[in-house]
Amino acid sequence: MIGIILLVILVMILFGVFPAWPHSRSWGYGPSGIVGVILVVLIILLLLGRV
């Protein structure tokens, strides 16, 4: 259950730091790349049953 909540929160953060939004346009792809990597790791852990 906690894994699903973390997944939803990370997806929302990923949309928030995507460089298409005006507030994050100057940040580049750094924050969305970092959150994307965290999201992939969390998905892998969910699939393996570790979270």
Side-chain angles (χ1 to χ4, degrees):
M1 183 67 181
I2 190 80
I4 302 296
I5 294 171
L6 286 173
L7 184 65
V8 170
I9 290 172
L10 278 174
V11 168
M12 290 172 43
I13 291 172
L14 185 62
F15 283 126
V17 298
F18 197 71
W21 301 105
H23 70 275
S24 63
R25 188 161 294 163
S26 64
W27 297 348
Y29 287 98
S32 60
I34 292 169
V35 174
V37 168
I38 294 171
L39 184 64
V40 168
V41 169
L42 183 63
I43 290 172
I44 291 172
L45 288 175
L46 281 173
L47 291 174
L48 292 175
R50 305 279 180 170
V51 174

